[in-house]
Amino acid sequence: MGKTDILEIVNSFSISDRLRLVEEILRTIREEEVTDTHSGNELLEFAGIISEKEAKEMKTAVAESREMA
C-alpha cells in the first residue's frame, strides 16, 4: 500500500475522524524522543493534500474540540 492509497483512504473519512487521526499522530510524535535533526522541509511532501477550505475547517474543529476538553 502506497502513500497515495493511504491518503485516499484518509480523505474518505469525515472531517472529525481525520482530526482524531491527526491528533493521535501528533500525540504519538510528541511522546517520541526526537534525536534526528531535520531541515524543516520534510512537510513539503504533504503540500496540496487538503484544500485551503478543508484546512480552515480542520483548524476550526480542532479549536472547538480543545474548548470542549
Side-chain angles (χ1 to χ4, degrees):
M1 179 175 284
K3 179 172 47 173
T4 304
D5 298 322
I6 294 169
L7 292 174
E8 285 179 18
I9 292 169
V10 170
N11 284 333
S12 71
F13 295 167
S14 68
I15 293 286
S16 61
D17 286 342
R18 283 190 263 172
L19 284 170
R20 281 192 283 273
L21 176 62
V22 168
E23 288 177 335
E24 185 58 35
I25 291 169
L26 290 173
R27 188 176 2 264
T28 302
I29 291 170
R30 286 185 196 110
E31 292 172 357
E32 293 177 357
E33 181 177 296
V34 178
T35 56
D36 296 334
T37 58
H38 300 284
S39 67
N41 293 325
E42 294 83 9
L43 294 177
L44 290 178
E45 69 180 279
F46 298 106
I49 291 175
I50 61 173
S51 68
E52 182 73 23
K53 180 183 176 201
E54 288 175 318
K56 287 179 182 178
E57 289 173 353
M58 290 176 77
K59 182 177 179 180
T60 301
V62 168
E64 289 173 358
S65 70
R66 288 182 178 161
E67 289 175 2
M68 292 180 191

